[in-house]
Amino acid sequence: MSAAAKRSLSSTGRSISPPALRRKVSHTAEEDAHVASTWPAHLGQLRIFSWNVNGVGPLLQTPLSFGPGSLSPLRSFLKRHQWPQLLCLQEVKVSSKDVGTQRQLHQAANHGHAAGEPTYTVHFSLPRDQYNATGFGGKVHGVASFLRDDFASGVRVTRRPEWDLEGRVLIHEHEVGLVIVNGYWVNGTSIPYRDPVTGQISGTRHDHKLRFHQHMLEEVLQHEAEGHHVILIGDMNVARSRIDGHPNLRTSPLQHVRNRADFNSKFFDEPNGMRGIDIFRHTHGNTKKFTYYPRGSAWGASCDRVDLIIISHALVDDPGVVTGTDILDSALERGHSDHVPLWISLDLAKLAARNARRSELLVASGSTWLAPRSGETIIRPDFPSSFTW
């Protein structure tokens, strides 16, 4: 058996999700026809959304109406964007011990589920660092990925890497040869960073950010060496160049400039790095759009493009694999947060075809997949695998 097959069979990453929320309501033919017309609008497209929500509380609000069509704010977001297969949230601010909120977030994604509409399963990576992620009762950082259940069936592995103790990374490996990394990247500051084992001060969070870059690059290169295509998506806490900051690009203190240079080097410029594609720039050129709009300023007075989608170069070598991408830069889409969502869509059939061709070449050459990383563990969601509803 190949290493890839072993990896797939040993995966415990697919969660045993709580049962989908089902309300005892009737639906008219007109309502069902509306569902049929909105859901298949992107048939054959893999659509991935990302949003730094700056806390999930507002997404859990109980709808004022409980009749047909009554949706939670989270479910409304998913429906408005025609049920993306994957929604990656960052900065969810949920404690790893707070099982109740984790359960509520799953409920919110499925609240108001109508006949014929998709359901979602949520995975979490939440802080488990006893020295560096303890503020607000552990309600800092954190990422959550909502996988549409029909899409989740093709996800072989969902895991958090062992090096990430602050709840910043979730990795989803799909059978079409695509690896999607939901990340809330470290923000560099002069605040001391403590060794997660000893608790002793070990530099600053600027140093921690640079280490995070290195860990993430190694993760990417490992997957690309295995023949996978990688999508890095999320809040990367760095604006790449002058065009990505308004009215100015942050250059003080100087360490921010060094952090930016390190980021661009590792993921775009250096021959031994990822050599990735900033898909928004690749698609939209010098269009000025931003993702971070602080709430203390008038809309557009100060903003930065710090949420990015970086993809393996091979995904743009084959025309038509990437079918669209954009930033939803409006106050409406920002909602309660200080970031706006962004998205990418890909042609699933072409991805599957590329994966099949790669497998044929591997078989013909006698090559095999690389074995899983030593000591790697596959994770389940941070909440228990089942609940009584």
Side-chain angles (χ1 to χ4, degrees):
M1 182 182 293
S2 69
K6 292 179 181 177
R7 186 172 188 173
S8 178
L9 290 174
S10 65
S11 168
T12 59
R14 191 166 300 139
S15 68
I16 305 173
S17 66
L21 215 62
R22 297 182 183 274
R23 297 181 300 115
K24 295 181 178 179
V25 297
S26 60
H27 299 277
T28 66
E30 181 180 354
E31 288 170 338
D32 288 339
H34 176 69
V35 170
S37 67
T38 56
W39 188 8
H42 300 278
L43 192 64
Q45 301 294 303
L46 168 57
R47 299 169 63 249
I48 306 168
F49 277 65
S50 175
W51 188 17
N52 178 323
V53 293
N54 192 24
V56 297
L59 299 178
L60 305 178
Q61 293 175 356
T62 302
L64 296 177
S65 169
F66 292 93
S70 171
L71 304 177
S72 71
L74 178 57
R75 184 76 178 175
S76 294
F77 179 93
L78 292 165
K79 183 172 184 177
R80 184 168 77 250
H81 295 296
Q82 299 183 328
W83 314 117
Q85 284 93 336
L86 180 58
L87 170 61
C88 300
L89 301 185
Q90 301 92 42
E91 205 172 358
V92 296
K93 296 182 179 178
V94 177
S95 168
S96 60
K97 299 177 182 179
D98 187 358
V99 175
T101 298
Q102 295 169 45
R103 178 172 53 195
Q104 289 172 32
L105 203 56
H106 180 274
Q107 290 176 310
N110 296 292
H111 180 88
H113 165 239
E117 287 184 341
T119 55
Y120 288 82
T121 296
V122 61
H123 295 258
F124 296 93
S125 180
L126 302 173
R128 51 200 171 103
D129 188 321
Q130 61 180 327
Y131 297 110
N132 299 288
T134 59
F136 304 100
K139 293 186 177 183
V140 294
H141 316 321
V143 295
S145 295
F146 293 83
L147 278 68
R148 207 174 73 188
D149 288 331
D150 59 323
F151 172 75
S153 63
V155 176
R156 298 188 299 110
V157 173
T158 285
R159 63 184 176 86
R160 63 185 179 195
E162 292 300 312
W163 50 264
D164 170 38
L165 299 178
E166 292 191 346
R168 294 182 174 277
V169 182
L170 272 177
I171 300 173
H172 310 284
E173 302 180 23
H174 197 275
E175 61 189 11
V176 296
L178 189 67
V179 176
I180 304 158
V181 183
N182 174 9
Y184 177 42
W185 298 44
V186 174
N187 184 26
T189 69
S190 58
I191 294 173
Y193 177 79
R194 297 185 179 277
D195 183 282
V197 177
T198 67
Q200 298 298 310
I201 293 177
S202 176
T204 68
R205 294 195 66 80
H206 285 303
D207 301 311
H208 182 45
K209 182 176 181 66
L210 296 178
R211 287 190 293 266
F212 185 95
H213 287 173
Q214 183 61 36
H215 281 308
M216 193 69 91
L217 176 62
E218 291 170 359
E219 195 77 44
V220 170
L221 295 180
Q222 171 86 18
H223 284 296
E224 291 188 333
E226 294 173 356
H228 298 151
H229 304 313
V230 178
I231 294 179
L232 301 176
I233 190 168
D235 179 2
M236 301 184 186
N237 266 310
V238 61
R240 291 194 59 208
S241 62
R242 176 66 189 85
I243 196 174
D244 298 313
H246 175 80
N248 298 300
L249 183 68
R250 186 173 186 179
T251 58
S252 178
L254 183 60
Q255 188 60 47
H256 285 292
V257 178
R258 297 183 179 126
N259 294 346
R260 180 181 300 114
D262 183 76
F263 177 79
N264 281 328
S265 173
K266 283 182 168 62
F267 297 97
F268 297 101
D269 301 332
E270 287 300 312
N272 295 328
M274 179 183 180
R275 302 290 291 176
I277 299 295
D278 179 344
I279 193 61
F280 177 81
R281 283 279 165 254
H282 180 83
T283 304
H284 297 283
N286 290 330
T287 299
K288 287 189 177 182
K289 284 193 173 184
F290 307 97
T291 64
Y292 172 64
Y293 291 84
R295 302 197 69 87
S297 304
W299 176 265
S302 174
C303 41
D304 300 278
R305 190 176 72 101
V306 294
D307 304 75
L308 305 173
I309 303 172
I310 307 172
I311 68 174
S312 294
H313 200 287
L315 287 173
V316 298
D317 289 342
D318 189 352
V321 171
V322 177
T323 57
T325 188
D326 211 344
I327 295 168
L328 304 179
D329 59 338
S330 72
L332 171 66
E333 292 291 357
R334 181 182 64 173
H336 72 278
S337 182
D338 48 7
H339 291 248
V340 300
L342 60 162
W343 61 271
I344 183 173
S345 62
L346 303 100
D347 188 313
L348 268 175
K350 288 190 175 182
L351 279 171
R354 286 180 64 92
N355 193 42
R357 290 196 300 270
R358 183 176 66 250
S359 298
E360 290 171 359
L361 290 172
L362 286 170
V363 171
S365 64
S367 300
T368 59
W369 296 96
L370 297 182
R373 268 144 281 195
S374 175
E376 185 64 87
T377 59
I378 309 302
I379 66 145
R380 57 188 182 274
D382 288 330
F383 58 72
S385 57
S386 62
F387 292 104
T388 301
W389 297 90

